[in-house]
Amino acid sequence: MSMPRIQIPQSARNVYSASCPCRLILDLLADKWSALVLSALEPGPARFGAVKAKLAGISPKVLTAVLRRLEEHELITRTIYPAVPLHVEYELTDLGRDACVPLGALLYWVEDNIERFPALPGTPGK
């Protein structure tokens, strides 16, 4: 069952406005773990353990929260297969696949341009 859709006239869409719901979606997608989870699911459906293994440094608690949030916003689906033990897979929706295009470009840009940034605490060279 899908949630009601956000209805905002094009003329009222302004991410710079404090009242624009676009900011909530930007916050969801610009989150480091959300972007990485969506990217990790691009190749196809995956189980929790496979997503966690791909995302070094994410805790099970944080991954669970991110997966729930992405599912709530219909960027991914969660399918439970009746088996012992239960088999659960996560998969991108059409909306999630669409979001991966600009997010993927950002991820690649960061990788290609990392040496242009000053060293931060915890990075090599600092």
Side-chain angles (χ1 to χ4, degrees):
M1 178 171 167
S2 65
M3 296 170 49
R5 302 286 168 225
I6 299 171
Q7 300 294 320
I8 302 170
Q10 184 72 36
S11 61
R13 298 174 194 179
N14 179 358
V15 295
Y16 299 105
S17 170
S19 62
C20 184
C22 293
R23 281 193 177 185
L24 300 172
I25 303 305
L26 183 60
D27 180 56
L28 169 69
L29 294 174
D31 174 73
K32 166 182 70 176
W33 291 123
S34 292
L36 291 172
V37 167
L38 290 171
S39 178
L41 291 172
E42 256 190 301
R47 295 176 75 169
F48 183 93
V51 176
K52 184 175 180 324
K54 190 163 186 173
L55 302 179
I58 193 168
S59 71
K61 180 180 177 180
V62 169
L63 179 55
T64 298
V66 170
L67 288 167
R68 285 181 182 158
R69 192 169 177 216
L70 293 173
E71 182 183 14
E72 176 184 329
H73 289 86
E74 298 182 10
L75 291 158
I76 65 171
T77 58
R78 178 177 181 259
T79 304
I80 302 170
Y81 297 95
V84 178
L86 283 178
H87 176 106
V88 178
E89 283 187 347
Y90 298 90
E91 184 174 14
L92 293 174
T93 62
D94 288 341
L95 182 62
R97 276 187 287 283
D98 288 348
C100 283
V101 175
L103 290 174
L106 179 60
L107 296 177
Y108 290 122
W109 184 88
V110 169
E111 288 178 347
D112 287 346
N113 290 278
I114 191 69
E115 71 282 348
R116 296 173 64 192
F117 289 88
L120 301 170
T123 60
K126 188 70 173 176

